[in-house]
Amino acid sequence: MAELTLAVANSIIAAALEAGAQAGLKPLTVAVLDAGGHLKAFQKQDGASILRYEIAFGKAYGSLAVGMGSRWLDKNAKERPHFIQGLTAVSGGRIVAVPGGALIRDAAGALLGAVGVTGDTSDNDEICAVAGIKAAGLVAQVD
């Protein structure tokens, strides 16, 4: 697969939301970006708080920005805070450096895009992002 289609992006979102529902999580918000950082698909569950779009987008966008999942960003925010502050500044504040963002790769390792999930704990958000990607038959990279 050389391109992330709308149908695949929507299936990732549906599976991520289903994983959250099965786990009894708080309302989730999911953003799927293509490899160029453009929004492909987005859904925000009823009851999700404001700024959830920006957070979900920022987790996915940050993953694409560094070529790693947002767990890597979180780790580096603790170990190298000036690096993450600089990265956030040069991105115009679009990067959210906490778990919940995962790169989407095909079976051959080609980058297709990224998913950002927010609404529950960062760890639970990440679990749902990975579940959505795997349910679409793709490979998730979180760090």
Side-chain angles (χ1 to χ4, degrees):
M1 175 182 296
E3 179 186 356
L4 180 66
T5 66
L6 179 59
V8 171
N10 283 330
S11 73
I12 290 170
I13 291 173
L17 295 177
E18 179 61 24
Q22 291 295 321
L25 303 184
K26 294 176 184 174
L28 298 178
T29 299
V30 184
V32 178
L33 310 183
D34 66 18
H38 303 100
L39 183 66
K40 193 70 174 185
F42 169 80
Q43 285 194 25
K44 177 179 170 185
Q45 288 185 308
D46 296 341
S49 63
I50 65 171
L51 290 181
R52 290 299 172 181
Y53 166 76
E54 292 82 357
I55 297 167
F57 182 93
K59 289 179 180 188
Y61 189 83
S63 296
L64 287 169
V66 296
M68 304 293 282
S70 64
R71 182 164 294 276
W72 182 92
L73 287 164
D74 180 58
K75 178 182 176 197
N76 277 273
K78 295 170 186 152
E79 296 173 358
R80 302 168 54 204
H82 289 93
F83 171 72
I84 298 300
Q85 289 169 356
L87 190 61
T88 300
V90 299
S91 74
R94 291 184 281 181
I95 293 173
V96 176
V98 296
L103 294 177
I104 306 166
R105 296 192 179 276
D106 67 12
L111 179 65
L112 302 178
V115 176
V117 177
T118 185
D120 205 87
T121 67
S122 294
D123 289 337
N124 285 338
D125 294 345
E126 180 181 271
I127 289 167
C128 293
V130 169
I133 294 167
K134 286 183 176 181
L138 299 168
V139 178
Q141 180 183 342
V142 297
D143 54 15

